[in-house]
């Protein structure tokens, strides 16, 4: 929809290659850049972007994990990195998969209050259109979508784990 080249970041090189194939077939705008890397260690300078789209990936992160003897708050680190690479007033779009079966939902309305408090502490304003969206009538596609605007730098204090935890965790 942007009709401009974008930078794609994915830890999975196969997904990056799939994007190159789509570009070669003329299905997407040419000139995109593919970078392999992690979303909790984004390999770009501070204030590099006006828009970050984290599509159907944040749910794969953990609120807390141990790696090489160190505790990592992966989900929090990811959101801090998004704030870091956004220019002041920049936007982020986060989508999480949902199921028509409420028992398998990733995030529920009961999680919104804590999640939005966590996002606020990380320097984001949640935009009014955040919520659940369905695909076409004949599909089972459903997502939770949050539009965010960077309003400040994040708090330096680690967040309470409850703020970024969801039903699935």
């Amino acid at each position: 929809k942007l009709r401009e080249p974008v930078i794609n970041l994915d830890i999975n090189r196969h997904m990056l290659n799939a994007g190159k194939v789509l570009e070669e077939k003329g299905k997407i705008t040419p000139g995109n850049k593919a970078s392999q890397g992690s979303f909790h260690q984004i390999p770009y300078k501070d204030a590099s972007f006006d828009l970050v789209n984290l599509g159907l990936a944040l749910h794969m992160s953990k609120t807390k994990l141990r790696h090489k003897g160190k505790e990592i708050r992966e989900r929090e680190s990811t959101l801090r990195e998004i704030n870091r690479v956004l220019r002041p007033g920049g936007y982020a779009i986060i989508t999480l998969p949902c199921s028509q079966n409420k028992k398998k939902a990733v995030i529920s309305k009961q999680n919104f209050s804590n999640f939005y408090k966590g996002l606020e502490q990380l320097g984001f304003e949640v935009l009014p259109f955040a919520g659940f969206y369905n695909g076409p009538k004949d599909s089972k596609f459903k997502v939770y979508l949050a539009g965010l605007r960077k309003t400040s730098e994040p708090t330096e204090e680690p967040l309470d784990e409850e703020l970024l935890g969801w039903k699935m965790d």
Side-chain angles (χ1 to χ4, degrees):
K1 296 290 180 185
L2 293 174
R3 294 196 172 109
E4 292 181 28
V6 297
I7 297 172
N8 298 296
L9 174 68
D10 204 304
I11 202 162
N12 183 335
R13 66 180 164 82
H14 299 293
M15 293 304 293
L16 296 171
N17 289 335
K20 289 177 186 176
V21 169
L22 290 174
E23 188 174 329
E24 289 166 3
K25 291 182 177 182
K27 302 236 182 227
I28 59 175
T29 303
N32 296 303
K33 181 178 177 184
S35 296
Q36 189 172 5
S38 171
F39 55 22
H40 67 274
Q41 294 176 322
I42 301 174
Y44 292 98
K45 294 179 184 176
D46 296 0
S48 295
F49 300 99
D50 295 313
L51 174 67
V52 171
N53 179 31
L54 185 59
L56 302 172
L58 189 61
H59 66 288
M60 302 298 287
S61 65
K62 304 291 182 203
T63 54
K64 192 177 358 179
L65 60 90
R66 294 201 69 74
H67 180 69
K68 296 182 181 179
K70 224 179 183 184
E71 180 182 288
I72 299 172
R73 294 168 168 246
E74 188 178 36
R75 192 168 297 156
E76 182 178 335
S77 295
T78 298
L79 293 164
R80 287 179 181 279
E81 279 292 277
I82 290 171
N83 183 298
R84 182 185 67 75
V85 299
L86 278 174
R87 292 184 181 105
Y91 293 92
I93 298 171
I94 296 172
T95 53
L96 300 171
C98 293
S99 168
Q100 299 294 353
N101 177 347
K102 292 182 181 184
K103 291 181 182 179
K104 292 184 178 181
V106 171
I107 191 168
S108 69
K109 288 182 181 179
Q110 290 84 359
N111 301 127
F112 288 176
S113 178
N114 278 346
F115 186 45
Y116 293 178
K117 282 180 196 171
L119 290 168
E120 184 179 315
Q121 289 181 31
L122 292 172
F124 297 106
E125 168 192 14
V126 179
L127 300 173
F129 61 84
F132 295 101
Y133 290 87
N134 293 315
K137 289 182 184 178
D138 60 343
S139 83
K140 293 183 180 181
F141 184 78
K142 184 176 182 180
V143 295
Y144 165 76
L145 183 142
L148 310 176
R149 186 173 67 84
K150 178 179 176 172
T151 57
S152 65
E153 296 302 317
T155 179
E156 291 186 23
E157 305 298 317
L159 296 188
D160 179 337
E161 218 178 307
E162 296 285 315
L163 295 179
L164 300 180
W166 307 315
K167 184 177 179 180
M168 68 175 269
D169 294 325

